Amino acid sequence: MRVLTIGGGGRECAAVDAFHRAGSDVYAVMKNSNPGIIEKAKKYLLADEKDIAKICRFAKENIIELAFVGPEAPLEAGVVDALEREGVPCASPTKAAARIETSKSFMRELVRKHKVDGNLEYASFDNPADTEAYLRTVDHEIVVKPVGLTGGKGVKVQGEHIHTMKDIMGYVNEIFENNIGGAGVIIEEKAVGEEFTQMAFCDGKTVAPMPLVQDHKRAYEGDVGPNTGGMGSYSDADHLLPFVGVEDRRKALEIMKQIVSAMSEEGCPYRGVMYGQFMLTKSGPKIIEINARFGDPEAMNVLPILEDNFEKICWDMAKGTLSGAVRFANKATVCKYVVPRGYGTKPEAGHRISVDMDGVKRSGAEAFYSNVDMKDGVLVTGTSRAVGVVGIDYSLEGADWNCETALSFVESDAIFVRHDIGTRDLVQRRVDHMREILGK
Ligand code: AMP
Ligand code: GLY
């Protein structure tokens, strides 16, 4: 089948790889020259991923039969609606359905209205004075978020990034003054626990889960430093996590099923990958955010161990014919992102980077190019995450070892990696933290 993919990051590189394995002819649109995508695509177009007119023209010229969108920005711009008007089936949500991610107040209101489990207390505001008046009435710790999209970097958590009322209002004022996210402020109750990601394939009614993954947002080892788009992630061979059992997973999945039903009831059925980010608290999983796409890096954990045909799954999502179970290998994965020096604060772009892909493959791992570009025939880093390296094995320890071996095939003098992701020590800290929260 002739498949259009949109996006040029690590997540899309993994998706293109999965389409390639499924036998698809890939036609890719991306803003940067991603060598991993270029290698597997029949044809590609370098363009703004929100340039709907160009994307539709490319789809028409190449007689595209199915489209898949990686990042949130083109979803928000309405690329799916435009492609569907041209008769191209899409395995991604429409602009209206993508509001589950693009508007944090839409998500919380939907969840409240439909009495979905796992909601947190929240209130959203369009001015600083009302925000302050509300803050004076709450007696729990809070989190401040811009309502709109900020690439995962706009959230400030009380007790971590902000402490006093002065800090909180300082950030609230900054959001309004600089119009960060473009749609006001949401104040949420702070959930305390361990975070995990449950992603699922959805076709408007059926929800087929993927293995659980844990991402690491903080820039530096030991979980310190600024929040980032995600420095790396791991998944376990049993598709659970060492601190999330079957029952908590069932509850998280149930929340996602309730959201998918609620979206249909609202006349805005959800088709595509849904990403649920949960905090496992002492009273069960709570919704941190819902995204309208694969997580990045989480896509790189699950797609390499996908056993069913990705093209068929996407077709079924687009057509409403998804089966409730999709098969993944019982293997653990550890993904570590190689990022440019300064990432998280002041990333340095434009440094040469090279990956010995044969070496990576020989070690049984995978490497997915992300925010890199070709400049004068040389592969260079951008300001965001450069290459996702994924170790795969029967245990987390084996997968970590495999990832570290593969990392030795990446060369640049201006990069860093969080080597602690997926290690026994860090995973044990999560387990201990969860035990402490549960009082066990
Ligand atoms: P988000 O961009 O919404 O994923 O938020 C980024 C990070 O902020 C999350 O990964 C959490 O660690 C933290 N966070 C967001 N919302 C909350 C919340 N309500 N309670 C506690 N932590 C949160
Ligand atoms: N890994 C976080 C995200 O994709 O939003």
Side-chain angles (χ1 to χ4, degrees):
M1 199 178 280
R2 300 160 74 91
V3 176
L4 172 72
T5 63
I6 298 172
R11 163 184 50 206
E12 291 79 23
C13 194
V16 166
D17 183 61
F19 277 124
H20 190 253
R21 271 187 283 138
S24 313
D25 287 338
V26 174
Y27 293 77
V29 177
M30 57 192 156
K31 57 179 184 296
N32 51 308
S33 291
N34 181 317
I37 296 179
I38 290 174
E39 188 203 330
K40 300 209 163 106
K42 273 242 158 279
K43 200 165 163 188
Y44 66 95
L45 171 72
L46 292 179
D48 179 346
E49 294 159 9
K50 301 194 295 292
D51 189 335
I52 292 180
K54 252 193 194 159
I55 293 171
C56 285
R57 209 175 316 128
F58 184 70
K60 249 185 161 159
E61 278 166 16
N62 294 292
I63 324 165
I64 292 301
E65 295 163 277
L66 174 67
F68 172 84
V69 184
E72 60 277 23
L75 295 172
E76 187 178 42
V79 73
V80 167
D81 309 62
L83 285 166
E84 284 182 345
R85 276 196 298 273
E86 299 286 343
V88 179
C90 295
S92 298
T94 59
K95 182 181 167 86
R99 282 178 301 166
I100 199 72
E101 166 166 11
T102 60
S103 168
K104 293 186 196 293
S105 53
F106 171 84
M107 184 276 280
R108 292 279 172 210
E109 273 150 36
L110 180 92
V111 163
R112 174 147 75 189
K113 180 174 166 197
H114 291 264
K115 300 191 172 59
V116 173
D117 299 329
N119 204 4
L120 294 169
E121 269 191 46
Y122 77 95
S124 42
F125 301 97
D126 60 9
N127 67 76
D130 287 349
T131 318
E132 184 163 5
Y134 170 77
L135 284 166
R136 297 211 177 275
T137 67
V138 297
D139 57 0
H140 50 251
E141 285 200 302
I142 55 95
V143 174
V144 181
K145 301 182 179 186
V147 169
L149 291 177
T150 53
K153 294 160 196 125
V155 175
K156 291 208 194 286
V157 179
Q158 190 173 12
E160 287 182 42
H161 315 96
I162 40 177
H163 299 272
T164 60
M165 186 66 160
K166 192 163 161 250
D167 297 344
I168 296 172
M169 280 313 296
Y171 185 49
V172 168
N173 285 320
E174 191 186 323
I175 294 176
F176 284 112
E177 272 158 31
N178 301 329
N179 200 25
I180 300 173
V185 159
I186 183 160
I187 306 290
E188 285 178 8
E189 167 193 354
K190 175 179 166 182
V192 179
E194 274 297 324
E195 276 178 273
F196 67 94
T197 303
Q198 168 76 76
M199 297 183 289
F201 299 107
C202 310
D203 72 350
K205 38 186 201 302
T206 302
V207 176
M210 306 185 210
L212 296 183
V213 185
Q214 189 176 40
D215 185 17
H216 297 70
K217 297 243 173 187
R218 297 304 201 94
Y220 314 130
E221 289 186 3
D223 282 327
V224 293
N227 268 334
T228 67
M231 293 294 294
S233 44
Y234 65 89
S235 67
D236 212 346
D238 60 3
H239 301 165
L240 298 169
L241 288 169
F243 56 90
V244 185
V246 173
E247 185 51 20
D248 286 319
R249 183 200 188 164
R250 192 196 59 74
K251 286 184 188 157
L253 191 59
E254 180 56 29
I255 289 170
M256 293 176 72
K257 288 182 177 168
Q258 290 172 3
I259 291 175
V260 169
S261 301
M263 297 284 289
S264 286
E265 279 173 43
E266 292 290 320
C268 167
Y270 190 93
R271 278 178 283 111
V273 171
M274 185 181 276
Y275 167 111
Q277 192 184 341
F278 295 94
M279 186 77 81
L280 184 55
T281 69
K282 63 173 186 296
S283 45
K286 302 287 175 193
I287 305 167
I288 296 296
E289 66 172 354
I290 304 291
N291 290 334
R293 51 174 174 81
F294 271 116
D296 188 350
E298 290 95 329
M300 295 186 283
N301 296 93
V302 298
L303 285 170
I305 57 165
L306 175 65
E307 289 184 333
D308 286 335
N309 182 300
F310 188 51
E311 180 186 277
K312 167 92 170 60
I313 296 168
C314 287
W315 180 256
D316 286 338
M317 286 196 286
K319 292 290 173 185
T321 50
L322 192 66
S323 105
V326 167
R327 288 178 306 142
F328 291 85
N330 281 106
K331 288 191 176 171
T333 67
V334 173
C335 172
K336 304 191 195 195
Y337 245 133
V338 175
V339 302
R341 193 159 62 204
Y343 180 64
T345 49
K346 266 196 166 168
E348 289 176 33
H351 291 275
R352 180 193 283 264
I353 184 164
S354 68
V355 184
D356 171 359
M357 279 294 177
D358 290 337
V360 171
K361 291 276 176 199
R362 268 199 315 276
S363 64
E366 298 279 352
F368 299 109
Y369 288 103
S370 189
N371 185 236
V372 289
D373 214 346
M374 292 300 283
K375 288 270 149 65
D376 305 322
V378 175
L379 192 68
V380 295
T381 53
T383 53
S384 193
R385 303 168 292 185
V387 182
V389 176
V390 187
I392 304 166
D393 205 347
Y394 291 96
S395 69
L396 268 175
E397 271 161 32
D400 180 39
W401 181 259
N402 186 222
C403 179
E404 287 294 328
T405 306
L407 278 167
S408 66
F409 295 106
V410 180
E411 261 186 42
S412 172
D413 56 9
I415 52 172
F416 73 98
V417 175
R418 267 192 67 173
H419 290 287
D420 62 342
I421 291 167
T423 57
R424 185 201 282 255
D425 278 2
L426 193 58
V427 173
Q428 190 58 43
R429 268 176 45 193
R430 312 277 195 218
V431 173
D432 294 344
H433 182 222
M434 206 59 236
R435 281 216 183 104
E436 195 185 303
I437 285 169
L438 296 174
K440 281 190 189 159

